[in-house]
Amino acid sequence: MDGESVQMRAASSGSPLAKARAWHYPEHRIMANKLANSASAFLRAAAGHDVDWHPWGAEPFARAREIGRPVLLDIGASWCHYCHVMDAQCYQNADVAKILNEKYITIRVDCDERPDVDARYQAAVAQMTGASGWPLTAFLADDGGLFYGGSFFPLRPEGSHPGFIQILTWAAELYKSGPEKRAAEGRRLRITLAARSSARETDPAPRNEILQKFASRLLDTADRRNGGFGDAPKFLLPNAADFLLTFGHRYQNAFARDFAKHTLLQMIRGGVHDRIGGGFHRYSTDERFEIPHFEKLLAHNAEMLTVLSRASLYFNDSEILDAARGTASFMIETLQNADGGFAASQDAGIGGVAGESYTWTRAEILQIAGPELAPFADYMYQLDDAGNFVDRRGHHVLSLRVSTASAARKFQMQPDAAAAAFRELESRLRNARIQKPKPAIDRTLVPAWNALEARALLEASDVFEHFESDIYKKMRESARRAIEVLIQQKTGAGSRIERAPGAPSFLADHAALAESFILLFERGGGEKWLALAEIEILQTIDAFWHEPARAFADRDRGDAGIDGAGFVMIPFDDGAHASGNAIALRACARFLYHRPNTKIERAAAALADATATILGNGEPASYAAAAGSLAFVMNPPVRVALSGKTSPARSELRRAALSFPGVVIVENDARQASPRSESPAVAIVCVESRCLPPCQSADELRRAILSVSADKKTAPS
């Protein structure tokens, strides 16, 4: 569980964060620490602290060994609200800085820049204490081994919780009393964690049975009333909804399919969805998706766009489609940088006040609505003077618990008129919102997140093309620009993307990039994109494959870690986005749908076995992307190859194919037709290696797709 959410009540709304965003703009500095020139905005924000911070690396550990001190490791991110709370309460406190500088060597890490370091210490702290999250506060021996840790610590004692100064003093004395013992504890913990990456016995059950048991376990955790999974705090988990959506469709499981829709609609109607500005906040603090933690992450919104666009096509649902459109618009208009890359995140608040840009008083809303729409606004948002956001009394996070149809009955309006009135109301609120101060944006380019965003935009563009919305062209152009920015970061043969100068790249970066190349190929980009995908996948196999686990490691075998964080991790569980192995399996399988490659086939087969085995372990929601990738391997999509001259007939063929969820449309595949062919437009329907005769009319194509879809639903796997 996210430690930030576990500790969210530990810092009161009257915290020192009210110091006008002091974490971004320190008012004074006594000494310059070593973070001022960091690529990470999160690290640079601490450059003015009096704490003598170091970036991650061997040097601070060598210094700790030299002078016999423990290491204090702080891991967080720009989007992490409680990281800023702890900065303001603790790290900008003179007494804390004095203790840290005298008794510790201090290291600060951006979890988005070094997800490998974050993953290892999150796992270690969770193993030791039962919980972790951001900010992560880890106390380490001089070899990097953990001897104590936690998440958010308040400066002063709160109830039964000791204050940070007490913790610092106690941990320093604990280490001083037995450094060898503390180091031994860290080594034992590393052995335990490393054992998780060893090979598991392959599950002999048929994969259909494995997936069906996984879906059943996942649905056992479903909140049938409020949607989503588990209790508060409740995370978006788009990969879980996506898995149930596609599983329900493929296996004719109405409950799985309908629960996926219910979950998406609950999120769309809840405050976790920014109805006015578009996009989704990171998670909900309650079980109803009503009151969010307000930061917005690119990765979460990319995967939300993927499942929303698919669901809008599966269910032909305009409400879901509108949410997908708003999410895409938010990312393109707010997060896309001038060079085409996408920013990592947008902060939760301004001046230390979380949600200031996203909440309204009843009086504000009624004034903006105007006399004619004020009663309508009161009813639709269920407003009152107390508000629903306890951290800002009298303020509302906008959520919908009634429908426009209900409003039509109440106000004796035609349904279309009620819907139009609601659109006008939200348009007025949108115009008012533009005038509000905007939360800061971390413009850092995270390669994996950008590639996932490109994938989401490209897949969603097909849905919006089907619904004849012009935004699909903008989506494809934005995706292409993002991918080209990532390519520009790769210079020279065999080069890798860096998340920061000198920092390693990671499995998810390369796997997601390869998949985005394949999606560009499918949309008529040409053979070069498929060739780039093949190179990317082969290089990833060479650099990241871990044979004992029959899967990929999260980082290159050549990237040696600090001893305490040096063990191998095999990423199958989802974090900020789908796990690296889930993305890699999807990329390998998608490439093999188009071209053979023996080395990729062997890796994909082994990885599919490893994935099937892992699905029986742990919390099912954590492995939803892996389950989705295995389902993708087991149920290859129907492939429609379009070729021939550009003409109304070809456009009709494309529109016919776009109406089928899950169909992969490939434009001008040189293997089946010349891109410059002047022959009449045709569509060839294939499943795996079996292809039907060419179709020349839309009706013929629809019948062909339906025939192979029926075969797939009844064929054993």
Side-chain angles (χ1 to χ4, degrees):
M1 180 172 288
D2 186 333
E4 178 184 335
S5 61
V6 170
Q7 300 290 348
M8 71 175 68
R9 295 178 184 85
S12 67
S13 57
S15 76
L17 256 196
K19 299 189 226 170
R21 206 169 178 81
W23 63 274
H24 263 325
Y25 304 111
E27 296 172 359
H28 68 282
R29 58 184 69 183
I30 295 174
M31 59 191 300
N33 59 43
K34 299 170 180 64
L35 303 183
N37 296 320
S38 300
S40 160
F42 176 66
L43 299 191
R44 289 197 309 273
H49 291 181
D50 296 342
V51 177
D52 187 19
W53 291 115
H54 297 70
W56 178 262
E59 187 272 330
F61 288 98
R63 179 64 176 157
R65 284 191 291 274
E66 179 184 343
I67 61 178
R69 290 186 189 176
V71 173
L72 184 285
L73 173 65
D74 172 65
I75 302 179
S78 287
W79 46 260
C80 168
H81 178 67
Y82 276 89
C83 296
H84 308 323
V85 174
M86 193 161 173
D87 275 357
Q89 283 195 7
C90 298
Y91 295 126
Q92 293 182 34
N93 178 279
D95 294 333
V96 168
K98 185 174 186 295
I99 294 171
L100 287 172
N101 293 338
E102 291 178 354
K103 297 181 181 293
Y104 291 87
I105 297 297
T106 51
I107 300 175
R108 193 169 173 99
V109 167
D110 184 330
C111 65
D112 297 334
E113 183 177 275
R114 293 302 304 255
D116 58 328
V117 176
D118 179 55
R120 283 156 176 79
Y121 284 110
Q122 294 283 355
V125 171
Q127 180 75 19
M128 177 178 284
T129 69
S132 62
W134 300 283
L136 191 76
T137 310
F139 295 84
L140 313 179
D142 59 21
D143 67 349
L146 179 80
F147 69 88
Y148 184 67
S151 182
F152 174 86
F153 291 104
L155 179 64
R156 309 294 178 196
E158 294 187 359
S160 62
H161 298 287
F164 193 46
I165 290 176
Q166 291 174 287
I167 292 288
L168 290 177
T169 303
W170 168 80
E173 291 301 317
L174 180 68
Y175 185 76
K176 185 178 178 181
S177 69
E180 295 81 8
K181 182 180 179 182
R182 304 287 85 79
E185 290 169 355
R187 285 191 290 273
R188 285 194 295 271
L189 187 57
R190 289 200 297 277
I191 291 170
T192 300
L193 295 171
R196 297 180 181 177
S197 296
S198 60
R200 295 175 172 86
E201 185 177 346
T202 302
D203 190 335
R207 289 182 181 172
N208 268 333
E209 182 180 326
I210 289 171
L211 280 180
Q212 288 173 3
K213 287 182 177 177
F214 178 85
S216 178
R217 289 175 58 229
L218 180 59
L219 287 168
D220 284 344
T221 70
D223 181 344
R224 300 190 182 197
R225 178 177 181 179
N226 299 302
F229 305 91
D231 301 318
K234 191 172 281 185
F235 292 82
L236 302 177
L237 302 178
N239 289 301
D242 194 28
F243 168 74
L244 291 178
L245 178 68
T246 54
F247 174 85
H249 178 75
R250 171 58 52 205
Y251 291 92
Q252 303 297 292
N253 186 316
F255 176 58
R257 185 178 60 240
D258 293 345
F259 183 74
K261 180 179 181 181
H262 174 59
T263 290
L264 293 176
L265 288 173
Q266 288 296 103
M267 289 193 287
I268 289 168
R269 294 166 183 169
V272 75
H273 175 216
D274 181 4
R275 305 191 53 81
I276 305 304
F280 287 78
H281 302 291
R282 190 162 71 96
Y283 68 88
S284 173
T285 63
D286 63 282
E287 70 279 1
R288 300 176 66 212
F289 291 114
E290 185 171 3
I291 307 300
H293 234 250
F294 292 95
E295 60 270 20
K296 295 182 183 179
L297 272 63
L298 175 67
H300 290 159
N301 279 281
E303 293 186 329
M304 283 300 299
L305 175 58
T306 296
V307 66
L308 288 169
S309 58
R310 286 181 184 168
S312 67
L313 188 57
Y314 274 114
F315 299 114
N316 193 29
D317 190 291
S318 60
E319 186 177 5
I320 298 175
L321 185 70
D322 285 345
R325 181 185 292 106
T327 302
S329 297
F330 160 71
M331 290 186 285
I332 293 171
E333 295 168 9
T334 302
L335 295 186
Q336 192 157 30
N337 299 328
D339 64 0
F342 283 88
S345 60
Q346 187 170 35
D347 287 358
I350 299 168
V353 181
E356 183 178 18
S357 298
Y358 305 108
T359 58
W360 315 74
T361 64
R362 178 172 181 258
E364 281 181 296
I365 294 173
L366 298 185
Q367 182 179 11
I368 293 164
E372 74 282 12
L373 289 178
F376 196 82
D378 241 348
Y379 180 73
M380 290 300 298
Y381 297 130
Q382 300 287 287
L383 301 178
D384 58 38
D385 291 331
N388 63 0
F389 184 37
V390 295
D391 286 358
R392 300 190 73 206
R393 186 145 186 84
H395 285 73
H396 282 271
V397 179
L398 297 184
S399 61
L400 293 182
R401 297 303 171 200
V402 296
S403 65
T404 55
S406 174
R409 290 190 294 271
K410 177 177 177 63
F411 295 105
Q412 298 182 339
M413 303 168 68
Q414 291 297 318
D416 288 349
F422 188 55
R423 287 194 297 272
E424 174 61 23
L425 170 63
E426 297 214 317
S427 176
R428 294 181 187 184
L429 288 168
R430 196 167 293 115
N431 290 334
R433 170 84 161 263
I434 292 170
Q435 309 305 318
K436 287 193 172 195
K438 297 175 177 59
I441 294 173
D442 179 359
R443 294 288 175 187
T444 303
L445 186 147
V446 179
W449 298 10
N450 271 253
L452 288 171
E453 168 66 351
R455 172 208 180 212
L457 288 170
L458 289 169
E459 290 193 344
S461 72
D462 291 347
V463 174
F464 282 91
E465 183 182 0
H466 165 71
F467 286 112
E468 300 183 347
S469 171
D470 284 343
I471 195 176
Y472 82 87
K473 297 176 183 177
K474 191 174 186 180
M475 289 177 168
R476 287 180 191 158
E477 175 61 17
S478 293
R480 183 193 60 78
R481 291 178 63 213
I483 292 169
E484 287 179 350
V485 167
L486 294 177
I487 290 174
Q488 289 167 12
Q489 293 194 353
K490 295 168 66 69
T491 56
S495 65
R496 298 185 303 166
I497 300 171
E498 291 183 338
R499 292 203 177 194
S505 56
F506 303 99
L507 170 63
D509 296 325
H510 297 278
L513 184 60
E515 186 179 30
S516 71
F517 290 159
I518 299 167
L519 289 163
L520 277 179
F521 158 75
E522 291 171 356
R523 282 149 189 81
E527 289 288 320
K528 73 169 186 176
W529 293 109
L530 203 56
L532 285 172
E534 184 172 31
I535 292 168
E536 196 71 33
I537 294 171
L538 290 173
Q539 289 178 347
T540 303
I541 294 171
D542 290 341
F544 292 87
W545 187 256
H546 185 67
E547 186 58 28
R550 306 285 285 159
F552 291 98
D554 64 336
R555 64 185 178 198
D556 190 322
R557 290 189 301 274
D559 292 323
I562 305 301
D563 287 348
F567 55 89
V568 173
M569 290 196 78
I570 306 299
F572 274 108
D573 52 324
D574 301 337
H577 54 71
S579 68
N581 274 300
I583 302 170
L585 180 57
R586 206 167 58 208
C588 289
R590 196 160 195 132
F591 176 84
L592 293 170
Y593 292 158
H594 301 299
R595 297 291 186 271
N597 183 291
T598 302
K599 187 172 183 177
I600 296 174
E601 286 173 6
R602 285 198 299 263
L607 183 54
D609 285 341
T611 301
T613 300
I614 206 75
L615 294 184
N617 301 301
E619 289 294 325
S622 298
Y623 298 114
S629 294
L630 184 62
F632 188 69
V633 171
M634 291 172 55
N635 299 284
V638 175
R639 184 179 187 274
V640 177
L642 293 176
S643 61
K645 64 183 178 182
T646 302
S647 64
R650 179 162 173 163
S651 297
E652 285 296 317
L653 288 170
R654 180 170 177 81
R655 276 196 291 273
L658 285 170
S659 65
F660 289 88
V663 167
V664 172
I665 303 171
V666 183
E667 297 276 1
N668 301 324
D669 186 346
R671 186 176 61 171
Q672 292 181 303
S674 169
R676 292 180 293 276
S677 172
E678 290 302 314
S679 59
V682 296
I684 300 175
V685 176
C686 302
V687 177
E688 298 183 274
S689 59
R690 180 168 69 98
C691 295
L692 303 183
C695 302
Q696 293 186 314
S697 73
D699 286 342
E700 194 179 2
L701 176 58
R702 291 188 190 96
R703 287 194 296 271
I705 294 174
L706 286 171
S707 71
V708 295
S709 297
D711 289 347
K712 281 163 60 62
K713 287 175 184 174
T714 57
S717 59

